[in-house]
Amino acid sequence: MNKYQTCFIIFSFAIQFIFFPLAVNAQLGLSKIVLNENKQIISVVTGDKTLSLQKPVALLGYTINQQQYSINAGSSLVQVSVNFKDTVAPYVKATVTFTNTSADTIELSNVLPLQRDGSEAYITGLGSHPLSRTNLFLPGKLPVNVIVPDNAWDLGYNGFPVSADKKLMLLSRRNRSSIKQGERKRFETVLYPGGSVDYIIYGEMYTGNWQQGLNLAFQQRWLYDLDTFNDSLYQRKDLQWMRHSYVLHLMDAWDKFYYDSNEGKYKLEDFLARGKKLYGGDDVVSIWPTWPTLGLDQRNQFDLFHDLPGGINAMQKQALMSRKMGARFFICYNPWDESTNSKNHFEGLADLIGATTADGVVLDTKGESSRELQQTADKIRPGVIMYSEGMAVPKDMPNIVSGRVHNALYYPPMLNLNKLIKPEFTIFRVAELFKEKIKREFATSFFNGYGTEINIMAPGQPAWVEEQYKYLGRTSRILRENTDNFVNQGYTPLIATTTDSIWVNKWEHDNKIIYTIYSTIPAGYKGNLFTVEPAKNFHYVDLWQHRLLEPVSNNNQWFIQAATDAFNVSDMGTNNEGEVDCIARLPILIQAKLNGDELTIDAANKGTEVRMWAGMPAYDKQAVLFKPGRQKISISKYFGRYEGDFVIQLMKDGILQDETIVTIAPGTARRVSVMQPTIPSVSAPAGMVVIPAGKFKFNATNGDEFIAYPKQDQDSVFSMPSFFMDRYPVTNREFKKFLDATAYRPTDKANFLKHWINGTIPQGKENFPVVYISYEDAKVYAAWCGKRLPSELEWQYAAQTPDLREWPWVQQQPVTRKEEVVNATLTVSQLQGIDSSRCNLGNGKLYTVGSYPAGANPNGLNDLVGCVWQLTNDLYMSGSHRYIMMKGGSYFKPSSSWWYVQSGPRELHYRQYLLRVSPGFERNATVGFRCVKDKK
């Protein structure tokens, strides 16, 4: 008989009902594994189909005295037997017994199903770390140190492709109670001569990538610790708040942040207020008045609570105050307290919860809870959480909803697979501030989608604490605003990346995907990191850097770019190592368009508020809040001269729905003036002409760009209403009437009407354009007349007319320009060919308005060019400067250097800014104005 046809062990099963519906296709149920005489797998049976392997594969491998062996080519020191067990579960289960047949003591470790061929991910031990050796090996990547449940550090996991679409998953677990004539260590089993130990092997079939197999073993089978999972605690609404908690402080009752013995005052409120600004505040604060003082006298743990300053009533006040500030209040319970004043622990805990109104209990030295403890709390008040010092293993998870990754494990593994078992289980990593900087603690907790307990029981508050807390604020904000993604079963660990030493976890829930990224590349990283599937009406946003991202196509795949900051290489191997990034795929619910200083926001009515931030969101800043819907806002009104990114978020009850970013580049000029309409007139007032309505395409030109000109409205088409405009610039005579009527005097009198003599118009210059006036002077005059200053758009439309003429008149011969490039921002243009009968060519002499009737435009406007620079209403602002836009050029044309303002008559589309310093500084001999009035 062919050895491949030899079947030593055959297993069959019947379906058993599981509390949770399984995500495994029933047709993939593994009913039989066929081994040859060498204990190699040659085929598997799923349903009624037999799938033969292309070549035999060893059932498992192991390590004896640090030497690796395969079951089919094993060590002479041990005998290995395999016994498959009958079970009603939809998976194969076998007991593998290792017996020491030698005369020496041996050490067994790293029992790993299947073989290490690198085709699939596998988990086994690596190295000699006393607490953490479990590593996940991915094809073609560096091993990843992982956290697994405390009863499974010695597990082995492997997958193997059986066919094109079906894979075999095997998990090995040491049966700790089976050890005979031996000693159990954390990772190894020491077997004396004749000693033995059993490992349980579980096998199932799955389809998809390696994470599907891992999900099957961890999330759907709870590492085979349980047949069913009693989910009743997790379904309780009153306990679900805990899963959305991400920052917890645990402190002694004698800590300065809780009670200052010198001042005799409680300080917890100040501590919580400080935390609000640094990291968004504590979700939980826990007070510890027992260890290490418990046992000094006969008082028990409950007595110590009552003996704190002000008694138990004072602690109750601290609990009430904490809740008002958004923090739940926890007390501690020491189950080992059996030698002090005798009191029933259940009664003592119930009394303490009732007296303090505590929201939770820290279970000292416990990695689990019990239904009795939870019921004790439930009898007093709803919503009280049991929080264990250790991390509950799968079989204990039904009785407790929260636990911690203990700080006994220094420099913890990057990936915590406990999160995969039960995402709704609340995990906190314990971190301590006094030893060193701990950015890695915050970063890896963020990467794993859970919170951080900052344990400040040990003394010490280093100078860099606030810097580290602000980093915690950045990670905690993202966790809080996307919490639903981190507490639901859409978690995929370590998706494929293009680069090693940078890892990505994927968290999918409803229509949002979050990718948390952790990097140990000291130089930082920027590049296309992982593949995505672009979809209509969705976009990608970097929530850490707050950047909009566009997928990049390469070899028929779409990649997204990630970026992590650099960090000091000296931090490698410390708890300050690494950097993070976070990318989200979000539905497009916000449209934002920036036009100069005006921002239009259209936010779908799928949220409760719109938040807008100058720069990155942070807890020490305040967002400007708007209601969903359509908003038109002035940037400068809310954010002043800020330049840079504006982050706009649509939130629903604190949860991020969408985010977009608009940017004002540094130096960008934006119009900040507001146009106040006049009382409209039916007919043209005296001295004004009607400007007909029409379509107008706006384009403007300018000279030196050292200080940037605005790009707002360029190349835009406008439907212009009809309005009235002064035929001529305002004259000295007209301005004098205004002064006589109003007795107007500016506050800043410098250079005001400097050309007048003792407040009198020089003889013969009554009808010259008024100059030496400021923007404010002109606006006051216009308001007195029932008029206003024109916008640049209105001035240029009235001057150019819809036919977009360059000059007011029809130029028979084209104006020639001799251009000279001075530098990157300045090109000087010398104009030639303008008829001197049309306008002043720049002879330096101001004149009576209307002196060049041949220079009027079709609307009847005179003195548009070569007269005075004419103020418009348009006031612009950048992060550094303010200026007013002017039009038309002037009578003064300096020519000895190209660094002068390019004056003389200027094209109707030409613009020149008047830089703002003070009204007195801005009053010039060449600057005047004309007015407009709205038409009914």
Side-chain angles (χ1 to χ4, degrees):
M1 182 167 53
N2 188 298
K3 67 179 180 179
Y4 296 109
Q5 297 174 321
T6 306
C7 174
F8 284 87
I9 302 143
I10 296 177
F11 172 72
S12 60
F13 71 93
I15 298 293
Q16 181 186 23
F17 174 78
I18 304 295
F19 184 84
F20 288 121
L22 298 177
V24 182
N25 191 318
Q27 295 179 350
L28 295 180
L30 182 62
S31 56
K32 187 181 298 182
I33 289 180
V34 181
L35 305 181
N36 63 19
E37 67 271 16
N38 293 321
K39 301 184 180 71
Q40 294 172 301
I41 303 173
I42 58 174
S43 65
V44 297
V45 178
T46 63
D48 57 355
K49 294 183 179 179
T50 298
L51 303 175
S52 298
L53 277 62
Q54 292 185 353
K55 61 180 181 180
V57 176
L59 178 65
L60 57 83
Y62 55 90
T63 297
I64 297 288
N65 298 336
Q66 300 183 9
Q67 180 68 41
Q68 291 183 9
Y69 297 94
S70 174
I71 194 170
N72 60 303
S75 167
S76 60
L77 302 178
V78 295
Q79 181 184 60
V80 185
S81 62
V82 181
N83 179 27
F84 279 76
K85 302 292 185 180
D86 292 335
T87 174
V88 294
Y91 50 78
V92 168
K93 180 179 179 182
T95 299
V96 178
T97 302
F98 293 86
T99 304
N100 181 2
T101 57
S102 74
D104 297 319
T105 297
I106 64 172
E107 193 173 74
L108 171 69
S109 62
N110 296 343
V111 175
L112 175 67
L114 303 169
Q115 59 193 30
R116 307 181 189 215
D117 66 352
S119 63
E120 287 289 312
Y122 63 90
I123 300 175
T124 190
L126 177 67
S128 58
H129 193 285
L131 294 178
S132 176
R133 300 181 197 172
T134 313
N135 276 258
L136 171 63
F137 294 79
L138 300 175
K141 299 287 187 180
L142 294 171
V144 176
N145 196 198
V146 298
I147 299 174
V148 293
D150 277 338
N151 67 346
W153 286 103
D154 47 12
L155 69 79
Y157 168 89
N158 210 342
F160 187 81
V162 174
S163 65
D165 62 339
K166 296 181 178 63
K167 298 176 182 179
L168 173 66
M169 177 278 292
L170 293 180
L171 178 78
S172 64
R173 297 284 306 276
R174 178 172 57 172
N175 183 348
R176 298 179 178 184
S177 64
S178 71
I179 299 174
K180 298 176 182 177
Q181 299 182 56
E183 177 186 353
R184 177 173 66 85
K185 296 184 176 180
R186 188 173 178 88
F187 298 99
E188 308 93 349
T189 305
V190 176
L191 294 177
Y192 308 129
S196 65
V197 63
D198 292 342
Y199 274 76
I200 311 300
I201 306 294
Y202 302 90
E204 292 198 60
M205 301 296 293
Y206 71 97
T207 61
N209 54 33
W210 65 267
Q211 291 98 331
Q212 296 300 109
L214 203 67
N215 182 283
L216 174 58
F218 278 72
Q219 191 172 106
Q220 299 179 49
R221 297 297 188 215
W222 314 289
L223 292 178
Y224 300 91
D225 266 9
L226 298 165
D227 293 326
T228 61
F229 194 104
N230 184 342
D231 204 43
S232 59
L233 284 186
Y234 296 86
Q235 296 298 321
R236 282 178 50 178
K237 299 293 185 183
D238 63 314
L239 301 180
Q240 289 181 4
W241 66 265
M242 185 62 171
R243 68 183 64 167
H244 304 296
S245 301
Y246 294 100
V247 178
L248 184 156
H249 270 88
L250 195 153
M251 67 179 71
D252 293 311
W254 42 86
D255 194 290
K256 69 173 184 179
F257 289 129
Y258 186 65
Y259 185 83
D260 190 314
S261 58
N262 283 338
E263 295 184 22
K265 293 181 179 179
Y266 281 96
K267 295 291 186 177
L268 183 59
E269 186 171 3
D270 294 340
F271 175 82
L272 295 175
R274 183 187 73 150
K276 286 281 190 183
K277 295 180 179 179
L278 293 171
Y279 47 82
D282 289 86
D283 299 300
V284 175
V285 62
S286 178
I287 306 304
W288 196 284
T290 56
W291 178 87
T293 196
L294 184 60
L296 187 64
D297 65 4
Q298 292 83 0
R299 289 178 297 176
N300 63 36
Q301 57 181 307
F302 308 112
D303 296 331
L304 295 179
F305 278 91
H306 286 268
D307 287 348
L308 288 171
I312 203 71
N313 289 335
M315 178 165 276
Q316 183 188 94
K317 289 179 181 177
Q318 296 304 303
L320 295 172
M321 176 275 300
S322 298
R323 282 192 289 273
K324 287 181 180 179
M325 297 190 69
R328 306 296 180 110
F329 191 87
F330 279 21
I331 56 175
C332 64
Y333 166 57
N334 309 104
W336 45 267
D337 178 22
E338 297 287 353
S339 300
T340 56
N341 289 338
S342 176
K343 182 162 187 175
N344 179 279
H345 280 206
F346 290 114
E347 291 179 5
L349 188 58
D351 292 344
L352 192 58
I353 292 172
T356 62
T357 69
D359 300 292
V361 181
V362 180
L363 306 179
D364 187 28
T365 70
K366 302 285 284 184
E368 74 286 336
S369 181
S370 65
R371 291 280 165 170
E372 290 76 14
L373 275 174
Q374 187 64 57
Q375 289 167 0
T376 296
D378 292 341
K379 290 176 182 177
I380 306 302
R381 60 194 303 261
V384 178
I385 299 294
M386 297 296 132
Y387 175 56
S388 59
E389 181 179 6
M391 179 75 197
V393 299
K395 67 182 180 63
D396 294 325
M397 282 184 173
N399 294 324
I400 190 168
V401 298
S402 64
R404 67 216 287 251
V405 181
H406 202 285
N407 54 326
L409 182 58
Y410 175 79
Y411 188 77
M414 179 194 72
L415 183 68
N416 190 344
L417 290 178
N418 282 294
K419 184 66 175 178
L420 184 62
I421 295 172
K422 186 70 174 172
E424 304 96 316
F425 185 92
T426 304
I427 302 175
F428 285 91
R429 162 61 182 174
V430 181
E432 294 180 295
L433 287 171
F434 76 98
K435 291 181 181 178
E436 59 182 345
K437 293 183 178 181
I438 55 171
K439 188 171 68 175
R440 183 182 186 273
E441 298 279 23
F442 304 144
T444 52
S445 293
F446 169 72
F447 177 69
N448 285 286
Y450 53 69
T452 306
E453 174 198 307
I454 301 95
N455 187 310
I456 57 174
M457 296 174 75
Q461 284 282 315
W464 36 257
V465 162
E466 290 198 1
E467 164 205 330
Q468 296 271 298
Y469 271 145
K470 286 183 178 180
Y471 192 88
L472 173 64
R474 290 184 69 185
T475 59
S476 299
R477 176 178 284 277
I478 295 175
L479 290 168
R480 288 164 172 158
E481 292 179 352
N482 301 279
T483 183
D484 292 338
N485 287 70
F486 299 114
V487 298
N488 281 283
Q489 298 187 357
Y491 170 40
T492 304
L494 304 192
I495 65 172
T497 59
T498 59
T499 305
D500 215 340
S501 300
I502 181 168
W503 298 272
V504 181
N505 283 335
K506 179 181 179 182
W507 313 82
E508 188 167 5
H509 177 64
D510 289 343
N511 60 356
K512 183 200 295 187
I513 303 175
I514 301 293
Y515 301 90
T516 54
I517 300 166
Y518 179 69
S519 169
T520 57
I521 303 173
Y525 175 83
K526 186 176 183 178
N528 297 327
L529 185 59
F530 56 93
T531 60
V532 295
E533 297 181 3
K536 187 178 180 181
N537 298 324
F538 286 84
H539 67 153
Y540 290 87
V541 182
D542 188 321
L543 298 182
W544 185 256
Q545 309 285 348
H546 292 284
R547 298 180 300 125
L548 298 178
L549 304 174
E550 288 291 339
V552 177
S553 178
N554 186 19
N555 292 329
N556 297 319
Q557 290 183 301
W558 290 95
F559 291 85
I560 208 71
Q561 185 184 84
T564 61
D565 294 334
F567 60 91
N568 199 314
V569 70
S570 65
D571 286 330
M572 289 293 289
T574 75
N575 265 333
N576 206 45
E577 170 191 85
E579 266 297 350
V580 302
D581 193 13
C582 182
I583 293 170
R585 193 195 80 159
L586 302 170
I588 299 174
L589 302 175
I590 306 173
Q591 299 289 343
K593 184 178 180 181
L594 190 61
N595 182 25
D597 191 57
E598 182 182 84
L599 177 66
T600 302
I601 302 173
D602 280 299
N605 289 314
K606 295 185 178 181
T608 52
E609 67 181 16
V610 174
R611 297 178 185 173
M612 186 171 175
W613 303 84
M616 290 190 180
Y619 286 117
D620 59 355
K621 296 163 63 175
Q622 288 291 326
V624 177
L625 304 182
F626 303 100
K627 293 181 179 180
R630 186 177 180 84
Q631 309 281 345
K632 279 194 175 184
I633 67 168
S634 165
I635 296 287
S636 59
K637 176 182 176 181
Y638 293 101
F639 301 101
R641 289 191 170 190
Y642 174 84
E643 296 175 314
D645 291 336
F646 293 87
V647 177
I648 306 167
Q649 299 173 315
L650 177 63
M651 312 297 293
K652 183 177 182 180
D653 300 323
I655 302 300
L656 181 68
Q657 306 299 305
D658 188 22
E659 175 174 310
T660 193
I661 297 99
V662 296
T663 303
I664 295 179
T668 299
R670 42 198 167 111
R671 189 168 56 242
V672 295
S673 50
V674 177
M675 185 71 72
Q676 296 295 338
T678 69
I679 297 174
S681 179
V682 176
S683 58
M688 302 191 86
V689 298
V690 64
I691 308 299
K695 294 281 188 181
F696 180 63
K697 183 174 184 180
F698 177 80
N699 273 295
T701 58
N702 52 264
D704 192 355
E705 277 273 4
F706 177 72
I707 296 175
Y709 277 84
K711 305 302 182 286
Q712 187 174 355
D713 296 337
Q714 288 279 31
D715 295 319
S716 298
V717 177
F718 296 89
S719 295
M720 302 296 296
S722 180
F723 57 93
F724 303 110
M725 178 176 267
D726 287 342
R727 185 181 299 274
Y728 307 110
V730 174
T731 65
N732 288 318
R733 186 190 306 276
E734 291 168 322
F735 202 82
K736 181 69 165 59
K737 289 180 181 179
F738 155 67
L739 295 180
D740 292 342
T742 64
Y744 169 76
R745 293 295 184 269
T747 303
D748 179 357
K749 299 179 178 61
N751 291 327
F752 181 60
L753 299 175
K754 180 180 178 180
H755 61 304
W756 291 14
I757 301 172
N758 296 324
T760 302
I761 303 170
Q763 188 175 1
K765 296 185 178 181
E766 291 82 0
N767 290 322
F768 280 32
V770 66
V771 291
Y772 286 117
I773 44 83
S774 70
Y775 180 73
E776 288 77 15
D777 300 333
K779 292 190 74 170
V780 175
Y781 169 86
W784 173 74
C785 293
K787 303 177 184 179
R788 56 179 174 81
L789 292 180
S791 66
E792 182 186 14
L793 175 63
E794 289 174 322
W795 191 100
Q796 191 165 319
Y797 169 67
Q800 279 194 292
T801 72
D803 61 13
L804 303 179
R805 57 185 55 212
E806 188 172 39
W807 300 97
W809 56 85
V810 176
Q811 184 71 24
Q812 299 299 327
Q813 297 294 328
V815 174
T816 60
R817 292 171 174 81
K818 182 181 178 182
E819 294 187 342
E820 184 175 359
V821 178
V822 179
N823 57 30
T825 65
L826 175 59
T827 298
V828 176
S829 180
Q830 299 291 340
L831 305 181
Q832 297 176 349
I834 300 175
D835 186 345
S836 61
S837 68
R838 304 284 190 176
C839 67
N840 187 324
L841 298 183
N843 63 11
K845 298 177 181 179
L846 192 51
Y847 58 88
T848 299
V849 297
S851 296
Y852 296 91
N857 83 340
N859 288 327
L861 298 174
N862 281 249
D863 304 307
L864 288 168
V865 299
C867 182
V868 287
W869 287 109
Q870 296 172 35
L871 294 170
T872 70
N873 187 72
D874 293 356
L875 175 63
Y876 287 88
M877 178 183 74
S878 70
S880 302
H881 310 113
R882 288 177 180 266
Y883 58 70
I884 306 155
M885 199 60 70
M886 304 186 299
K887 307 292 283 185
S890 81
Y891 64 90
F892 177 64
K893 184 180 180 182
S895 59
S896 61
S897 173
W898 55 50
W899 297 114
Y900 290 122
V901 171
Q902 297 179 49
S903 295
R906 296 305 316 193
E907 303 91 330
L908 297 174
H909 48 70
Y910 192 86
R911 59 193 350 185
Q912 172 65 43
Y913 47 62
L914 175 63
L915 290 165
R916 303 227 68 183
V917 179
S918 67
F921 184 84
E922 297 155 23
R923 294 184 179 113
N924 287 271
T926 58
V927 176
F929 67 101
R930 70 173 80 212
C931 299
V932 295
K933 186 174 180 63
D934 296 313
K935 184 176 182 292
K936 185 176 287 186

